């Protein structure tokens, strides 16, 4: 008992080595001491000994399967190790035992990391129901809504966060980004200004404010603000990237290239930042017709973030889609009874012309352009949760009946209403919806689908030159 008390003292003082030594002695004498196992797991996690931490917590959960904190900490340990699926399972078990605020937040954020946005939103809303006056819950909800492409909803969540905490810098900064993404530059400017009041030295908020000036073509003001940082070649990816974006309009492409090259060579910029800057270098050098050097930077940009692609898994997924949605199979499935002529789906490979097609169509007074909605992809996950036999998409579609499809179709139509309630047609130009054409036909048998096609070599090269914000691992080679 004395040793355990001393371990607490060590932990409180930040003496992890001392606590670890004592706790390992205690566990050696009593392998089932839950309290000591939990403390030791914490120490291991802090020292990045994640496997040891996980082993301690697995013992805790085996000894007491109802220990919600054991599963919560296990989720954190798996997350720290990068085993996100196991982290999600552990967090879910913790929430089932006792719906805790922190467990719901961490579960929501981890689900966001693996693009399971609908589930993430569900658990973050559960966190809000537990602590409705906690600004961090709305802040995290805003982040997942943005990742899900629900930009207006994301803005509303951030607005609630700052209403609950007027000194929440990160929420104001993200709210500014949100307003900027939906084209409300005046509100974006107000948010960035408030963020800079809270943290005057924040280059992230200043970078956002400069992006707003770029959007409003206020190039002289932007140049006046950023000039000292250009002169010092400040090592901040956002500032440099924003300057590169508008350098053409102020005749300073050469200064932008020089700054970009310095930052790309700096040991203080991480791989993701260097990749972003290298893409911009490629673009500026390409405009100058310096093609060899431009291509070298495009190649570097891709190599910095390249990761292995499991092509056999992709082929298997595509085969599953073809098997599930063959013409004969579709005729046997239930479809929605909703007459859905309102949505117009523009699909195809990225860089195949989907944006141009949407601009042309949305110029008609009867049409509103919704941009790239993540909703169809989210609804495939919703369909999985409807499964009576636990089947994954696309196999699950054979189980769905008309009432299921009606429910899913209504969810999509509600999303369109947030874009416009008056337009007769609304375009959804998410290119990757080409994967879900069979599912879309089940949702809206009478909808229009426009498939954009471009020469495959042009498409591939354009993808290789593009700094995608989403998940496009195939494009890096």
């Amino acid at each position: 008992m004395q040793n355990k008390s001393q371990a607490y003292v060590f932990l409180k003082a930040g003496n992890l080595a001392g606590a670890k030594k004592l706790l390992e002695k205690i566990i050696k004498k009593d392998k089932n001491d839950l309290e000591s196992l939990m403390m030791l797991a914490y120490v291991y996690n802090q020292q990045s000994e994640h496997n040891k931490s996980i082993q301690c917590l697995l013992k805790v959960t085996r000894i007491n399967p109802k220990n919600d904190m054991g599963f919560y900490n296990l989720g954190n340990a798996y997350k720290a190790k990068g085993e996100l699926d196991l982290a999600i399972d552990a967090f879910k078990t913790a929430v089932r035992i006792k719906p805790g605020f922190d467990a719901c937040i961490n579960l929501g954020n981890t689900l966001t990391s693996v693009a399971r946005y609908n589930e993430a939103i569900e658990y973050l809303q559960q966190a809000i129901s537990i602590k409705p006056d906690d600004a961090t819950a709305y802040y995290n909800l805003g982040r997942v809504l943005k990742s899900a492409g629900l930009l207006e909803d994301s803005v509303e969540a951030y607005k609630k966060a700052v209403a609950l905490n007027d000194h929440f810098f990160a929420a104001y900064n993200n709210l500014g980004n949100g307003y900027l993404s939906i084209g409300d530059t005046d509100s974006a400017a107000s948010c960035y200004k408030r963020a800079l009041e809270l943290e005057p030295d924040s280059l992230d908020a200043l970078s956002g404010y400069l992006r707003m000036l770029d959007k409003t073509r206020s190039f002289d003001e932007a140049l006046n603000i950023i000039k000292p940082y250009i002169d010092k070649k400040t090592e901040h990816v956002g500032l440099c990237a924003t300057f590169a974006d508008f350098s053409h309009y102020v005749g300073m492409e050469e200064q932008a290239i020089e700054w970009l090259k310095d930052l790309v060579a700096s040991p203080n910029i991480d791989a993701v930042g260097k990749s972003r800057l290298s893409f911009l270098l490629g673009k500026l050098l390409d405009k100058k017709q310096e093609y060899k050097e431009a291509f070298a930077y495009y190649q570097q940009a891709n190599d910095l973030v390249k990761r292995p692609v499991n092509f056999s898994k992709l082929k298997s997924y595509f085969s599953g889609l073809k098997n599930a949605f063959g013409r004969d199979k579709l005729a046997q499935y239930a479809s929605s009874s909703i007459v859905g002529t309102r949505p117009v789906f523009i699909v195809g490979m990225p860089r195949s012309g989907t944006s141009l097609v949407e601009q042309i169509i949305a110029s008609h007074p009867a049409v509103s352009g919704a941009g790239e909605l993540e909703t169809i992809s989210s609804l495939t996950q919703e369909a999985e949760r409807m499964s009576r036999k636990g089947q994954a998409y696309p196999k699950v579609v054979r189980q769905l009946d008309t009432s299921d499809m009606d429910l899913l179709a209504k969810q999509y139509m509600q999303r369109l209403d947030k874009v416009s309630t008056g337009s007769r047609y609304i375009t959804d130009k998410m290119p990757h919806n080409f994967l879900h054409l069979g599912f879309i036909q089940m949702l809206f048998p009478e909808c229009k689908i426009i498939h954009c096609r471009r020469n495959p070599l042009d498409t591939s090269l354009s993808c290789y030159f593009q700094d995608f914000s989403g998940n496009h691992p195939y494009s890096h080679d």
Side-chain angles (χ1 to χ4, degrees):
M1 188 66 187
Q2 186 61 38
N3 283 345
K4 198 181 295 186
S5 299
Q6 186 60 45
Y8 271 119
V9 172
F10 281 146
L11 281 177
K12 199 169 182 182
N15 183 355
L16 297 178
K20 177 179 173 180
K21 191 174 180 181
L22 277 177
L23 290 165
E24 284 178 338
K25 282 183 181 178
I26 294 169
I27 299 301
K28 201 169 183 180
K29 290 179 182 176
D30 183 0
K31 294 179 181 179
N32 296 330
D33 186 330
L34 294 182
E35 192 177 8
S36 296
L37 281 167
M38 292 273 279
M39 284 195 288
L40 185 57
Y42 169 80
V43 172
Y44 284 143
N45 216 32
Q46 290 296 302
Q47 296 185 327
S48 298
E49 295 183 75
H50 304 307
N51 284 334
K52 288 184 177 180
S53 179
I54 288 165
Q55 290 309 310
C56 285
L57 292 164
L58 286 172
K59 282 183 187 177
V60 170
T61 56
R62 277 197 296 267
I63 295 166
N64 181 4
K66 297 294 183 184
N67 189 321
D68 62 299
M69 285 307 298
F71 281 104
Y72 170 69
N73 290 337
L74 181 60
N76 286 328
Y78 277 131
K79 188 176 181 180
K81 193 185 172 189
E83 296 187 2
L84 300 185
D85 289 337
L86 291 172
I88 287 167
D89 290 341
F91 286 136
K92 281 188 173 181
T93 305
V95 171
R96 275 198 300 271
I97 295 167
K98 184 181 178 182
F101 178 80
D102 290 337
C104 287
I105 291 285
N106 283 17
L107 176 52
N109 289 340
T110 311
L111 286 163
T112 302
S113 300
V114 295
R116 289 162 63 176
Y117 302 128
N118 276 6
E119 287 181 85
I121 291 166
E122 180 184 324
Y123 283 105
L124 289 167
Q125 287 174 336
Q126 190 172 344
I128 289 169
S129 70
I130 296 168
K131 287 188 180 180
D133 296 329
D134 193 297
T136 58
Y138 284 104
Y139 171 76
N140 283 287
L141 180 61
R143 291 174 62 224
V144 65
L145 289 166
K146 182 179 185 301
S147 297
L150 304 173
L151 302 181
E152 294 87 354
D153 293 344
S154 173
V155 165
E156 290 304 314
Y158 285 131
K159 282 168 67 177
K160 287 177 181 173
V162 299
L164 288 166
N165 180 359
D166 187 46
H167 290 76
F168 199 157
F169 163 78
Y172 269 111
N173 193 49
N174 282 14
L175 181 54
N177 295 338
Y179 276 129
L180 202 57
S181 65
I182 62 173
D184 187 346
T185 51
D186 290 340
S187 296
S190 298
C191 290
Y192 289 133
K193 285 177 181 176
R194 176 58 181 153
L196 286 165
E197 284 175 10
L198 294 169
E199 293 192 17
D201 297 329
S202 170
L203 297 184
D204 288 342
L206 183 62
S207 175
Y209 186 73
L210 287 165
R211 284 200 313 277
M212 181 277 302
L213 293 175
D214 180 18
K215 290 272 188 186
T216 56
R217 304 181 72 80
S218 306
F219 302 125
D220 289 341
E221 184 183 351
L223 185 58
N224 285 335
I225 293 172
I226 203 170
K227 194 171 186 314
Y229 302 97
I230 300 170
D231 295 339
K232 290 185 286 187
K233 294 180 184 173
T234 301
E235 292 192 340
H236 187 273
V237 172
L239 285 176
C240 184
T242 303
F243 175 59
D245 282 336
F246 72 80
S247 61
H248 167 73
Y249 297 102
V250 292
M252 295 181 70
E253 296 101 316
E254 289 300 329
Q255 291 91 329
I257 289 170
E258 190 179 331
W259 191 5
L260 286 164
K261 285 184 175 179
D262 273 18
L263 263 61
V264 166
S266 170
N268 302 319
I269 306 297
D270 66 16
V272 174
K274 286 185 178 184
S275 175
R276 180 181 174 189
L277 299 174
S278 296
F279 274 116
L280 287 165
L281 266 170
K283 184 177 178 182
L284 289 176
L285 291 164
D286 194 8
K287 281 183 179 177
K288 290 182 66 185
Q289 300 183 1
E290 295 178 13
Y291 302 124
K292 188 173 182 180
E293 191 178 8
F295 192 89
Y297 277 108
Y298 279 132
Q299 187 169 12
Q300 176 172 293
N302 283 288
D303 287 347
L304 282 164
V305 291
K306 186 188 293 184
R307 60 185 190 274
V309 179
N310 188 335
F311 284 107
S312 61
K313 186 177 179 182
L314 274 177
K315 286 179 180 178
S316 176
Y317 179 66
F318 293 142
S319 295
L321 288 173
K322 291 175 182 178
N323 290 333
F325 294 113
R327 193 179 296 275
D328 55 332
K329 298 278 182 67
L330 269 171
Q332 299 169 25
Y333 298 156
S335 295
S336 161
S337 63
I338 295 172
V339 178
T341 58
R342 196 178 190 210
V344 177
F345 295 93
I346 303 171
V347 305
M349 277 294 292
R351 312 299 299 164
S352 66
T354 55
S355 296
L356 178 59
V357 169
E358 181 175 62
Q359 287 171 14
I360 293 167
I361 296 173
S363 66
H364 192 284
V367 183
S368 287
E372 298 182 4
L373 300 180
E374 295 275 359
T375 315
I376 291 295
S377 180
S378 295
L379 289 178
T380 64
Q381 297 171 32
E382 188 68 28
E384 287 183 349
R385 286 200 289 279
M386 290 176 168
S387 173
R388 283 84 171 168
K389 299 177 183 176
Q391 283 192 314
Y393 178 84
K395 286 184 179 179
V396 67
V397 296
R398 67 190 66 174
Q399 297 178 30
L400 303 177
D401 57 26
T402 299
S403 63
D404 294 327
M405 296 310 301
D406 283 351
L407 184 63
L408 293 169
K410 284 176 184 174
Q411 288 182 35
Y412 185 85
M413 297 300 277
Q414 287 167 1
R415 178 67 187 92
L416 293 190
D417 284 340
K418 292 180 179 177
V419 176
S420 170
T421 54
S423 297
R424 183 178 175 187
Y425 300 103
I426 298 181
T427 56
D428 177 348
K429 66 158 236 76
M430 173 54 74
H432 284 101
N433 278 340
F434 74 77
L435 293 167
H436 307 303
L437 296 184
F439 186 59
I440 287 170
Q441 183 166 331
M442 292 172 67
L443 287 168
F444 305 110
E446 298 179 29
C447 74
K448 296 288 187 288
I449 296 170
I450 299 170
H451 180 202
C452 296
R453 293 196 295 175
R454 181 185 181 189
N455 182 290
L457 294 177
D458 284 332
T459 304
S460 298
L461 190 64
S462 188
C463 284
Y464 190 68
F465 288 171
Q466 185 70 18
D467 186 11
F468 288 116
S469 58
N471 183 30
H472 301 264
Y474 60 85
S475 71
H476 298 307
D477 191 324

